[in-house]
Amino acid sequence: MKKLLLLCIIALITLTDFAIGKKITNSKIKMLNGEYAKLYDFNKDGLAIINFWTTWWAFCERQLAYIDQLNTHFKDYGLNILAVNTNKPNILNLVRPYINKRKYKFQVAVDPRGELAKKFNVKATPALFIIDRNGTIIHKSAGYESGMEYTYLEKILDYYQSEDIDVEKFEYDKSQIEKYRDSEIRFDF
């Protein structure tokens, strides 16, 4: 019986996400344009999404296409998106052309040595964090699969409702994501 109880406790600890409810640190991050910013710059107007991604993983590409739609729709309600690229230093030069080709309008930072990713305990990409105005992580997801978009949207809408902010209905354009459905892994390194 004690062994079973111990196994249950270990399983609970393993499956529990300790990031939810934690405050982010005001870490300095290098932006794609070469300037530096602080993480608190991104949630000062309200909600922030911090997304860790790579240029070579198709699931990152799909998720970025979706969060670009969120950015376009919710930016006037205070949503800020920071997409943190985690490419290794030898392929960091792929980030700017990648973003420009897709015409993404959110902020992009680079973390080639994974320093910020370590602070967020990111083990794999994509990894997405939703952070409230107070700097508290209210949602974390690792990986990406079809349907996760609705979870992100639900968390965002719940936040705006809790802040008594009326938002216009979000129209999710699946075609923007589906064009990446058959993407392959691109090994650029």
Side-chain angles (χ1 to χ4, degrees), residues 37-54:
K38 295 273 196 156
L39 286 186
Y40 288 177
D41 295 340
F42 297 95
N43 70 314
K44 66 182 179 188
D45 295 327
L47 204 57
I49 292 177
I50 299 177
N51 179 261
F52 293 86
W53 64 283
T54 65

Side-chain angles (χ1 to χ4, degrees), residues 18-74:
F18 292 108
I20 306 298
K22 299 273 180 163
K23 295 255 187 196
I24 62 170
T25 59
N26 196 17
S27 301
K28 185 168 83 169
I29 185 81
K30 185 174 183 178
M31 303 304 291
L32 186 58
N33 65 9
E35 296 181 13
Y36 286 88
K38 295 273 196 156
L39 286 186
Y40 288 177
D41 295 340
F42 297 95
N43 70 314
K44 66 182 179 188
D45 295 327
L47 204 57
I49 292 177
I50 299 177
N51 179 261
F52 293 86
W53 64 283
T54 65
T55 57
W56 51 267
W57 189 231
F59 293 109
C60 293
E61 190 164 27
R62 291 182 212 153
Q63 189 178 57
L64 289 172
Y66 180 71
I67 65 173
D68 189 52
Q69 289 183 43
L70 292 174
N71 181 62
T72 300
H73 183 79
F74 290 106

Side-chain angles (χ1 to χ4, degrees), residues 94-109:
L94 301 175
V95 178
R96 189 180 314 278
Y98 182 97
I99 294 296
N100 290 343
K101 177 181 178 185
R102 290 154 183 81
K103 298 178 172 68
Y104 292 145
K105 295 176 183 59
F106 45 72
Q107 300 273 351
V108 178

